[in-house]
């Protein structure tokens, strides 16, 4: 089985997409992350939901989680409001990691190894300079466990 056999259409964002919009897309579709496309329509990064949280959760709560307990519930439920007009570019990690991208002929084991190495729940599939879709951890695990 190859990447082409288990890839799915996958929502994408650009570097200039508002983070609030990316967060909404992740929430609506129950996604752990999104593929970020550059101006040429090719993957340039993966935006994990944890990076959105890193940008939205106040620093003092990240440094000392006990402080999060003192924030009243009404304000705690609105922490994503802190994103303001920030873009996906601002939410990405400062040091780029290896990009989880493969071609449609990659085997399932190759895709799994790439996911494990990059710690990414999804791998973008690109062929001839065109983004085809993604292999998600959930789909990969379903196929592997059904065997």
């Amino acid at each position: 089985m190859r990447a082409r056999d288990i890839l799915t259409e996958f929502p994408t964002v650009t570097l200039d997409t508002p983070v609030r919009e990316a967060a909404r897309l992740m929430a609506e579709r129950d996604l752990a992350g999104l593929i970020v496309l550059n101006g040429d329509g090719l993957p340039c990064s993966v935006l994990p939901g944890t990076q959105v949280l890193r940008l939205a959760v106040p620093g003092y709560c990240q440094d000392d989680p006990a402080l999060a307990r003192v924030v009243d519930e009404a304000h705690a439920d609105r922490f994503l409001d802190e994103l303001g007009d920030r873009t996906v570019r601002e939410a990405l990690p400062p040091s780029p990691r290896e990009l989880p991208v493969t071609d449609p002929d990659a085997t399932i084991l190759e895709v799994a190894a790439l996911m494990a190495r990059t710690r990414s729940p999804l791998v973008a599939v690109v062929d001839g300079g065109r983004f085809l879709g993604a292999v998600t951890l959930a789909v990969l695990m379903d196929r592997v466990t059904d065997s």
Side-chain angles (χ1 to χ4, degrees):
M1 191 166 300
R2 305 288 175 165
R4 80 169 78 70
D5 301 320
I6 59 172
L7 73 84
T8 58
E9 287 186 27
F10 202 83
T12 60
V13 293
T14 68
L15 292 168
D16 297 320
T17 300
V19 175
R20 186 185 310 266
E21 183 179 319
R24 190 173 300 118
L25 184 58
M26 282 188 240
E28 287 172 356
R29 300 215 183 164
D30 197 24
L31 302 171
L34 293 168
I35 294 172
V36 182
L37 301 181
N38 65 19
D40 295 327
L42 293 174
C44 65
S45 189
V46 170
L47 175 65
T50 53
Q51 283 299 118
V52 174
L53 291 177
R54 183 192 60 75
L55 195 61
V57 172
Y60 62 86
C61 291
Q62 292 178 50
D63 295 339
D64 185 356
L67 292 175
R69 193 171 293 275
V70 301
V71 177
D72 67 79
E73 194 171 332
H75 287 93
D77 290 348
R78 294 192 348 252
F79 69 88
L80 283 179
D81 291 345
E82 297 299 316
L83 293 173
D85 295 328
R86 292 178 176 174
T87 64
V88 165
R89 182 184 321 270
E90 295 172 81
L92 293 174
S95 301
R97 300 183 318 186
E98 178 183 358
L99 189 59
V101 174
T102 194
D103 64 83
D105 292 323
T107 65
I108 288 184
L109 183 56
E110 289 174 305
V111 173
L114 181 58
M115 280 183 182
R117 187 175 63 250
T118 60
R119 296 184 179 124
S120 176
L122 51 103
V123 170
V125 180
V126 174
D127 187 30
R130 198 176 103 229
F131 172 69
L132 301 178
V135 175
T136 65
L137 178 60
V139 169
L140 185 127
M141 293 301 279
D142 281 347
R143 289 296 176 108
V144 172
T145 57
D146 283 344
S147 301

